[in-house]
């Protein structure tokens, strides 16, 4: 008879725990009224609207919304409903599946709390500060309202604990990018990168997913004391790939290999016959190497060091000494310069003799009358 009366009256029978659907007909400050087909409108208290704290009921729902709800309590003149319980059950099932599969998902940051961020995923999800980014974040206020890609890292339904991580997603993306870059790199390639950090032994350059090392010896054709003399952090540079060790994820790079060498176009910088200043860099048994331009050394053969006979170059020269040399020959292909100090000495002697001769001509006195053909050997 009761069932017939319900059918005639159009009223539905409800029990605690039932899942029902209804339309929001009125929103008050602390509750929402919903038509679920019962003899009175159902009440959804503000505490049952969301897993997160809600200031006003209108922040969570709007009039006319269709809601799926769980019956919490039924009396003749009152039926209490919960949206939060339905959302939580659904969310737990969804999260358990995502946790098992490792699936990522998007969620909006609803609140910034001490120690991290809170998101609404049908229930309260927490992102600890250490799991937000791969780097240290001082102020999280800018994250409020921001959508993050997340991964479930800890789930405990009994403790109502949901721990999420954005950092894990970023690390996976970086790992995938690193793998792709490693596979694409080949020895001899010239690519663009960004100087990431400087060390005593060189500079690390980010190639878009992985860092490669430019050893200090590969920064410049010239001698480099410290990396900061050549590059700075954040600088875009072109580098040549010297080697790729995929197993150990090590990449050796060269900056100097992408730049013109000190010997490039040397014939237009140094000419046979001209006099240059240089620094003695090395003494060897057969002569001395003199640097005449940054990174460009020429050989002064032992026979070209002095007018007098010497047994070893260190009888006349020492490393670091500044000297004048005359260019005898330039060979760009072989990267070879032949230099002479002796010829400059002979040139100086010739000039002195010529000066004497001029002065003698003016005075009517001939030096050659006194020393004869001894001058000839200096004129040859």
């Amino acid at each position: 008879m009761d069932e017939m009366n319900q059918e005639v009256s159009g009223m539905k029978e409800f029990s605690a725990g039932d899942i029902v659907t209804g339309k929001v007909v009125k929103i008050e400050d602390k509750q929402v009224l919903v038509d679920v087909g019962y003899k009175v409108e159902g009440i959804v208290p503000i505490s049952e609207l969301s897993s997160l704290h809600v200031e006003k009921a209108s922040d969570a729902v709007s009039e006319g919304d269709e809601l799926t709800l769980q019956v919490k309590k039924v009396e003749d003149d009152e039926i209490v409903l919960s949206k939060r319980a339905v959302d939580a059950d659904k969310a737990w099932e969804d999260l358990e599946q995502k946790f098992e599969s490792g699936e990522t998902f998007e969620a909006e940051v609803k609140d910034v709390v001490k120690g991290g961020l809170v998101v609404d995923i049908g229930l309260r999800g927490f992102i600890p500060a250490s799991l937000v980014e791969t780097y240290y974040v001082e102020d999280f206020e800018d994250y409020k309202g921001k959508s993050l890609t997340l991964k479930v890292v800890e789930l405990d339904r009994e403790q109502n604990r949901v721990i999420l991580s954005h950092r894990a997603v970023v690390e996976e993306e970086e790992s995938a990018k690193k793998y792709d870059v490693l596979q694409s790199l080949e020895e001899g390639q010239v690519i663009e990168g960004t100087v990431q950090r400087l060390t005593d032994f060189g500079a690390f350059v980010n190639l878009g997913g992985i860092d490669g090392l430019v050893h200090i010896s590969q920064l410049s054709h010239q001698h480099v004391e410290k990396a900061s003399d050549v590059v700075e952090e954040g600088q875009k540079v072109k580098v040549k790939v010297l080697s790729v060790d995929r197993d150990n994820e090590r990449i050796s790079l060269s900056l100097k290999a992408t730049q013109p060498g000190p010997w490039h176009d040397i014939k237009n910088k140094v000419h046979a016959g001209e006099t240059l200043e240089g620094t003695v860099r090395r003494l060897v048994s057969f002569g001395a190497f003199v640097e005449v331009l940054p990174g460009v050394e020429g050989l002064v053969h032992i026979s070209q060091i002095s007018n007098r006979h010497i047994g070893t170059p260190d009888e006349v020269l020492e490393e670091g000494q500044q000297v004048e040399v005359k260019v005898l020959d330039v060979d760009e292909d072989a990267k070879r310069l032949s230099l002479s100090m002796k010829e400059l000495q002979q040139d100086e002697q010739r000039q002195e003799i010529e000066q004497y001769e001029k002065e003698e001509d003016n005075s009517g006195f001939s030096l050659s009358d006194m020393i004869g053909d001894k001058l000839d050997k200096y004129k040859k």
Side-chain angles (χ1 to χ4, degrees), residues 274-342:
E274 73 175 314
T275 300
L276 301 173
E277 284 193 359
T279 305
V280 178
R281 293 300 182 194
R282 290 178 292 143
L283 298 178
V284 292
S285 60
F286 53 86
F289 285 95
V290 176
E291 186 179 49
V292 294
L293 290 173
V296 177
E297 292 181 3
L299 174 66
V300 182
H301 190 267
I302 192 168
S303 63
Q304 293 293 328
I305 290 178
S306 175
N307 271 328
R308 64 182 176 84
H309 175 74
I310 59 174
T312 58
D314 59 9
E315 292 179 26
V316 178
L317 300 172
E318 60 182 25
E319 291 183 0
Q321 183 179 342
Q322 296 292 118
V323 294
E324 281 195 340
V325 291
K326 183 175 182 179
V327 180
L328 300 181
D329 184 55
V330 182
D331 188 338
E332 184 172 332
D333 294 333
K335 295 182 179 177
R336 186 179 299 150
L337 279 184
S338 295
L339 308 172
S340 175
M341 293 171 62
K342 182 173 79 171

Side-chain angles (χ1 to χ4, degrees), residues 5 50 60 72-73 88 104 109 113 135 137 139 151 153 157 170 177 191 207 223 231 255 285 299-300 315 342 344 363:
N5 288 339
S50 172
K72 304 295 285 184
K73 184 175 73 170
T104 60
V109 176
V113 296
Y135 51 87
V137 178
D139 185 2
K151 191 173 183 179
V153 294
R157 194 162 185 171
V170 174
K177 192 182 291 185
I191 52 179
L207 305 176
H223 176 71
V231 292
L255 180 62
S285 60
L299 174 66
V300 182
E315 292 179 26
K342 182 173 79 171
L344 283 181
S363 65

Side-chain angles (χ1 to χ4, degrees), residues 197-250:
R197 58 194 175 94
L198 306 180
T199 68
D200 291 340
F201 51 86
F204 284 95
V205 176
N206 185 274
L207 305 176
I210 190 170
D211 290 351
L213 173 65
V214 181
H215 190 267
I216 196 164
S217 64
Q218 292 294 328
L219 281 171
S220 174
H221 291 287
Q222 302 174 38
H223 176 71
V224 177
E225 289 290 340
K226 53 185 186 294
S228 57
D229 291 340
V230 182
V231 292
E232 59 184 20
E233 290 183 4
Q235 182 181 344
K236 299 281 186 185
V237 291
K238 280 190 175 180
V239 289
K240 184 176 181 178
V241 179
L242 298 182
S243 66
V244 182
D245 182 346
R246 292 184 174 84
D247 293 335
N248 295 304
E249 297 184 352
R250 289 179 181 170

